[in-house]
Amino acid sequence: MSESLVGAKIIGALCIIVGVLLIAVGVSSAFSLTVLGSLPPEILSALSSISGNAYMLIVYGIIALGLAVGLFQEEEWAAGGVGVLLLIIVVSTGFNIYSLYSALGLSGLYTSLLTFNIPFIITIGTFIVALISLIYPVSYTHLTLPTN
């Protein structure tokens, strides 16, 4: 297998991980927020920023899975789509983490990690995997159309 195909398979595998994580955080955010009525208003507003994006995160996850299939089938369109989607994912999940940091502070984020706040942990995992996928040193130009 050539180097460019290996790179496409690695990015495809990372896209599958990101897609599953995005769907998981979207579903967990959409459903777990309905039982958190006793939290302080600052925390609820930060969590609602994630919940407001929950359905978009699910859509992004489905798109990531579709792009991963395209990468495994060596489709040229998948390379550009992956670059754009990963950039959107990094920005949106980064903003969600920053919103929680603004509301909870660093000690609150640390507490969320220690108490296994599942949507928060999945959001951080999604951010990290998407960032690694975005800066992975394989050039997307390997997946461009061949010139005749």
Side-chain angles (χ1 to χ4, degrees):
M1 190 179 307
S2 71
E3 180 182 326
S4 63
L5 297 179
V6 171
K9 304 290 187 214
I10 291 171
I11 296 294
L14 290 172
C15 281
I16 289 173
I17 294 169
V18 167
V20 168
L21 288 172
L22 283 171
I23 292 170
V25 76
V27 168
S28 65
S29 292
F31 293 114
S32 68
L33 291 177
T34 59
V35 296
L36 297 178
S38 62
L39 291 175
E42 307 86 39
I43 296 174
L44 286 175
S45 68
L47 290 174
S48 69
S49 71
I50 293 176
S51 177
N53 296 327
Y55 301 109
M56 286 307 298
L57 292 176
I58 294 169
V59 170
Y60 291 154
I62 292 169
I63 292 171
L65 293 177
L67 289 171
V69 170
L71 286 173
F72 281 119
Q73 294 177 351
E74 301 168 19
E75 298 289 340
E76 292 85 10
W77 53 263
V82 164
V84 171
L85 181 65
L86 288 174
L87 185 60
I88 291 169
I89 291 168
V90 166
V91 170
S92 67
T93 56
F95 178 73
N96 289 342
I97 293 168
Y98 179 75
S99 295
L100 286 173
Y101 170 75
S102 296
L104 304 175
L106 190 57
S107 63
L109 294 182
Y110 184 69
T111 303
S112 294
L113 286 174
L114 291 179
T115 58
F116 298 107
N117 180 334
I118 300 302
F120 179 66
I121 291 172
I122 295 174
T123 300
I124 288 180
T126 302
F127 176 79
I128 291 170
V129 173
L131 188 62
I132 290 170
S133 300
L134 191 61
I135 61 175
Y136 183 71
V138 171
S139 171
Y140 289 113
T141 58
H142 290 291
L143 300 172
T144 57
L145 288 170
T147 57
N148 291 329

